[in-house]
Amino acid sequence: MPRIWNDTIEAHRRAVREAILDTTATLAAEQGLASVTMSQIAGKTGIGRATLYKYFSDVESILLAWHQRQITAHLEYLAHARDRAGDARRRLEAVLEAFALISHESHGHHGTELGAFLHRDEQVVRAQRQLHDMVRDLLAEAAETGGLRQDVAPEELATYCLHALTAAGSLPSPAAVRRLVKVTLAGLQAETGP
């Protein structure tokens, strides 16, 4: 087959897959996980059930693929926030703010049937570890340049930051989220005398 034909077919497959993921996530959020059927997904996506089964075997596998896409996008967003900031301290602040805003925006599915299903998966554990390691490394780097406390290990400070900023999910506005980030950053400051 000519290359252009292969590229077109592959682009079509990606578009169908993305539509399946988005439709399934929307249906699960609206109706609850147990109410979503493969027939509904196929109908809302505008494809046949046979086509749907070529991509995924069941609703759960679709939702796990959707969640993996979300996790990947979040980690890429955090890395981008880190990489576009200046010095170590600004990179740390950028990542913490980006994480807090993600927590704030995604608070809707936590504590739901869908959230419970998605957050029991191993991919969440791996993503949390990657995030923790990113924050830990930024804390260690920022501590070397001065101004951050050194009486607590970066590993522990990373845990403190991430747990504190998870509270952003229950805050009413992005402005409140930014205030929480400032409070969290204040807890990282080195003590200046007695």
Side-chain angles (χ1 to χ4, degrees):
M1 272 189 226
R3 179 168 159 62
I4 194 160
W5 180 251
N6 283 340
D7 291 346
T8 303
I9 290 172
E10 193 54 41
H12 173 74
R13 286 181 181 146
R14 278 193 304 275
V16 170
R17 186 177 192 281
E18 294 298 311
I20 292 168
L21 297 180
D22 293 337
T23 299
T24 305
T26 300
L27 287 170
E30 291 172 355
Q31 301 173 192
L33 179 60
S35 299
V36 179
T37 67
M38 294 294 273
S39 293
Q40 286 177 313
I41 295 165
K44 289 272 189 184
T45 305
I47 60 175
R49 283 187 353 182
T51 300
L52 177 58
Y53 280 104
K54 287 180 184 177
Y55 286 87
F56 296 99
S57 60
D58 56 26
V59 175
E60 289 80 11
S61 64
I62 300 170
L63 287 170
L64 290 174
W66 172 82
H67 198 232
Q68 181 60 51
R69 183 184 69 180
Q70 297 300 104
I71 289 170
T72 300
H74 287 160
L75 289 171
E76 288 171 357
Y77 176 71
L78 292 167
H80 179 68
R82 176 196 64 206
D83 295 344
R84 72 173 190 252
D87 64 12
R89 190 168 177 98
R90 294 209 190 290
R91 286 194 303 276
L92 173 64
E93 185 175 347
V95 168
L96 294 181
E97 184 172 318
F99 171 72
L101 288 169
I102 289 170
S103 294
H104 176 70
E105 292 167 4
S106 62
H107 74 279
H109 77 266
H110 294 289
T112 65
E113 174 191 28
L114 180 59
F117 169 74
L118 294 173
H119 288 207
R120 67 184 166 96
D121 191 62
E122 183 61 32
Q123 64 189 4
V124 173
V125 173
R126 284 190 306 273
Q128 288 171 336
R129 185 78 242 162
Q130 284 181 269
L131 173 60
H132 187 274
D133 291 350
M134 180 189 295
V135 172
R136 179 204 60 214
D137 294 348
L138 288 167
L139 283 160
E141 186 180 348
E144 289 176 12
T145 62
L148 289 187
R149 63 185 317 138
Q150 295 187 15
D151 59 329
V152 179
E155 185 83 20
E156 294 172 23
L157 288 176
T159 300
Y160 156 75
C161 290
L162 295 174
H163 280 284
L165 295 175
T166 300
S170 61
L171 294 177
S173 69
V177 170
R178 288 184 182 89
R179 287 190 296 273
L180 178 63
V181 172
K182 287 185 190 296
V183 169
T184 304
L185 287 166
L188 300 174
Q189 300 301 312
E191 292 187 21
T192 55

